[in-house]
Amino acid sequence: MVSERSIIGIESLKTKKKVCVIGAGASGLVAARELRKEGHKVVILEQNDDVGGQWLYNPNVENEHPLGKSKFLNVHTSIYSSLRLASPREIMGFSDFPFVTKKGRDTRRFPGHNELLLYLKDFSQYFGLNQLIRFNTRVEYVGIMNNKNGCFGGIKDDHHLQWVVRSRDYCKYKMDNIHGNDDRDLIEQVFDAVVVATGHYSHPRLPTIKGMDKWKRKQIHSHVYRVPDPFRNEVVVVVGNSQSGQDISLDLIEVAKEIHLSTKSINTITQGLSKVIQKYENMHLEPQIEFLEEDGRVVFVDGTSIVADTILYCTGYSYAFPFLDTKGIVVVDDDRVGPLYEHTFPPSLAPSLSFIGIPRKLIGFPFFESQAIWIAQLLSGKRTLPSCDDMMQSIKEFYHSKDIAGIPKHNTHDLAEFEYCDKYGDNVGYPRLEEWRKKLCLTTIVNSSNNLETFRDSMDDDEDLQEAYQSPHFTQLGAQVFPLVHM
């Protein structure tokens, strides 16, 4: 017979904590779900009036700095109107919530951005997460409440670490910008743990170009690009030939007088992009920009030049946590967020502070889910991390491996390997990525490289697709719950 004292002792092994999740996008929502599974009290603070994070399209960018040069951005999302997913929907769903087609919605395999927003809304509703969210709440400050000397100047005993979180009503904040901020509007709360889930596609990363500050014509970052109409009959220089640069260039084809796509290296031009440049007379490939002249001239490194109306920087995004104060323990150095053990935990503050959604170039949703499970179970005491010293050593070895491989610091969190995702999931027994998911991903990469304009609607992967639909991922909950509607 188990005594009452034994039961109390068993229950005390699991620690229930008050946890603040910052952001109600994909990573924040799945984090909240896993934290609640472990019995933690969860509060999600979300700046916008709905879930979705980056996928919550906002056409109103008038009050945003065109180059995103603000400490706190007014607009979180960088989604433009015409954006369609670059990955097939089958590979994107969380493990127990497949991203299936539904009647009356966008049933394409590569749907528009709103379809993924609806998926996240379905996810939040199905698991009852909306009740945990405080919408229209902007986080202004997150800082350590109890700071005791320990490893790396941080905390020796995580059980005594707490966080002060200050936030304000974002609707009122926007009015305060007109009438002056009032700190009396700040709401202060104390949490046992904080999960930062603010994404990594908001704060523009800009190049350094001679004459950039003096160039008098229009310069914007893709963060504030929404529709092509404002660029009608213009000569536009698009800087950067990554996915957004290619997408936006194609978006401008029908309205712009000329599009000049500037790239660092001709060697990065895919067959698909070459086809597009050959097809459209108003699209031109240019080398890197050497400098800008005040009269509107753009001079390239090969000595050629054009006079442009607009320069549109599709140069990627930087990590930024303007609200976070860790007394220098966690810093962003040329887009390397660190030190972070496994891209998630700052050793001296773990697991009370964690980051979810930092890694890039992977199949995001399953990875976010494995991160969320690990964070939740560490906070409840089900699992433990290595010692602070061991975690720091692991980080140093990881950085050293990047240096030896010649990988720039700003690419630290670009993973691009299935093996790492599988290894990461092993920490909590998360199932490894299914082979069909990997094959669909790789096929898409090849097809998009070869057929930039048409790959979303001309995929040749029926065999792998059928394997996907017959897998437990799609059959686990039954067609009555998530009906599949084939085109």
Side-chain angles (χ1 to χ4, degrees):
M1 182 176 181
V2 180
S3 68
E4 182 179 351
R5 178 173 293 183
S6 298
I7 294 173
I8 294 173
I10 292 170
E11 286 298 313
S12 67
L13 291 176
K14 287 190 68 176
T15 305
K16 313 298 182 186
K17 295 195 174 183
K18 184 178 180 182
V19 185
C20 175
V21 176
I22 303 176
S27 56
L29 291 173
V30 74
R33 185 188 71 168
E34 297 305 325
L35 286 162
R36 193 175 60 179
K37 277 185 184 179
E38 287 298 309
H40 302 296
K41 182 179 180 181
V42 184
V43 175
I44 309 174
L45 302 183
E46 169 54 49
Q47 176 175 297
N48 292 307
D49 59 3
D50 204 347
V51 303
Q54 188 61 235
W55 299 100
L56 183 61
Y57 177 71
N58 182 355
N60 302 314
V61 294
E62 293 81 6
N63 294 324
E64 188 75 283
H65 189 287
L67 296 176
K69 291 184 176 181
S70 303
K71 181 179 179 181
F72 287 92
L73 297 176
N74 292 313
V75 178
H76 177 71
T77 179
S78 301
I79 295 293
Y80 40 93
S81 178
S82 65
L83 185 142
R84 287 176 64 183
L85 304 189
S87 299
R89 67 193 307 146
E90 296 84 17
I91 73 173
M92 296 188 69
F94 294 118
S95 66
D96 56 353
F97 200 83
F99 184 17
V100 299
T101 58
K102 293 190 175 183
K103 291 181 179 178
R105 301 217 311 222
D106 188 344
T107 59
R108 293 175 295 179
R109 293 189 60 205
F110 295 79
H113 56 82
N114 190 62
E115 182 66 12
L116 186 51
L117 173 63
L118 294 176
Y119 167 79
L120 292 174
K121 285 185 175 184
D122 290 343
F123 180 82
S124 184
Q125 182 179 6
Y126 186 80
F127 292 102
L129 302 177
N130 279 33
Q131 61 188 316
L132 308 177
I133 307 172
R134 294 180 188 169
F135 291 109
N136 295 308
T137 301
R138 182 179 195 138
V139 176
E140 300 271 316
Y141 175 84
V142 175
I144 303 167
M145 184 174 181
N146 299 323
N147 192 358
K148 301 184 178 184
N149 291 330
C151 173
F152 203 64
I155 308 304
K156 198 168 188 177
D157 184 358
D158 167 68
H159 295 292
H160 298 297
L161 179 62
Q162 289 185 307
W163 296 85
V164 175
V165 177
R166 299 188 189 117
S167 61
R168 71 166 80 234
D169 184 311
Y170 187 46
C171 294
K172 193 171 188 310
Y173 168 83
K174 287 184 279 191
M175 291 299 297
D176 287 346
N177 273 346
I178 300 173
H179 302 294
N181 291 331
D182 189 345
D183 286 344
R184 289 175 298 179
D185 295 329
L186 287 173
I187 299 171
E188 184 173 295
Q189 294 174 278
V190 176
F191 292 90
D192 301 308
V194 172
V195 180
V196 180
T198 52
H200 51 246
Y201 291 122
S202 292
H203 290 264
R205 179 180 173 88
L206 292 167
T208 301
I209 300 173
K210 183 180 178 182
M212 190 174 171
D213 292 339
K214 296 180 179 179
W215 205 72
K216 299 185 183 301
R217 301 194 179 189
K218 185 165 58 178
Q219 297 183 76
I220 72 169
H221 189 274
S222 57
H223 169 65
V224 297
Y225 176 85
R226 292 297 181 267
V227 293
D229 289 351
F231 306 91
R232 187 168 296 278
N233 298 321
E234 287 192 355
V235 175
V236 182
V237 175
V238 176
V239 181
N241 72 323
S242 61
Q243 182 182 322
S244 62
Q246 295 177 12
D247 258 9
I248 291 174
S249 294
L250 283 169
D251 209 24
L252 294 170
I253 283 289
E254 298 299 326
V255 301
K257 180 180 179 181
E258 297 175 15
I259 302 154
H260 296 264
L261 182 59
S262 172
T263 177
K264 283 184 178 180
S265 173
I266 301 298
N267 295 330
T268 61
I269 302 304
T270 64
Q271 179 181 344
L273 181 55
S274 294
K275 289 179 183 177
V276 168
I277 294 170
Q278 292 170 13
K279 178 179 177 181
Y280 296 103
E281 293 183 357
N282 63 335
M283 190 167 177
H284 310 277
L285 184 65
E286 308 288 359
Q288 192 170 355
I289 298 175
E290 179 73 16
F291 59 90
L292 305 176
E293 295 184 347
E294 289 188 45
D295 64 356
R297 186 165 296 278
V298 179
V299 181
F300 302 101
V301 293
D302 64 354
T304 62
S305 67
I306 59 163
V307 176
D309 299 293
T310 298
I311 300 177
L312 205 166
Y313 296 99
C314 298
T315 47
Y317 296 88
S318 294
Y319 298 95
F321 313 101
F323 52 83
L324 186 60
D325 178 13
T326 62
K327 307 303 180 187
I329 293 176
V330 179
V331 297
V332 181
D333 178 13
D334 190 18
D335 285 340
R336 173 180 285 175
V337 185
L340 291 184
Y341 178 66
E342 301 292 0
H343 306 272
T344 311
F345 305 103
S348 63
L349 301 174
S352 69
L353 177 65
S354 57
F355 295 78
I356 181 170
I358 293 288
R360 298 179 292 206
K361 296 188 177 180
L362 43 67
I363 303 177
F365 287 17
F367 188 81
F368 300 159
E369 188 175 359
S370 61
Q371 284 187 292
I373 294 169
W374 198 6
I375 292 167
Q377 292 187 359
L378 285 167
L379 288 173
S380 67
K382 275 187 177 179
R383 299 181 187 274
T384 59
L385 287 167
S387 70
C388 181
D389 289 340
D390 286 346
M391 286 191 283
M392 287 301 299
Q393 182 60 33
S394 174
I395 294 168
K396 289 177 182 177
E397 291 172 357
F398 172 67
Y399 289 169
H400 183 61
S401 70
K402 293 292 184 182
D403 292 340
I404 291 176
I407 297 173
K409 187 179 290 185
H410 65 262
N411 295 126
T412 295
H413 304 294
D414 294 350
L415 300 185
E417 55 179 274
F418 297 132
E419 293 78 10
Y420 178 81
C421 298
D422 288 340
K423 180 182 176 184
Y424 188 100
D426 289 345
N427 290 298
V428 287
Y430 187 80
R432 297 198 163 197
L433 287 172
E434 304 93 333
E435 287 304 311
W436 60 260
R437 203 186 293 248
K438 296 176 183 178
K439 286 188 281 189
L440 287 175
C441 178
L442 293 174
T443 301
T444 300
I445 292 172
V446 172
N447 285 352
S448 63
S449 178
N450 294 334
N451 302 290
L452 176 61
E453 242 188 320
T454 60
F455 79 93
R456 292 179 176 88
D457 299 308
S458 59
M459 290 286 287
D460 184 20
D461 57 358
D462 289 346
E463 186 175 331
D464 295 331
L465 186 60
Q466 289 308 311
E467 182 182 347
Y469 283 145
Q470 293 166 14
S471 72
H473 176 68
F474 283 99
T475 61
Q476 60 188 308
L477 296 178
Q480 290 183 344
V481 180
F482 301 109
L484 285 171
V485 181
H486 298 290
M487 292 183 65

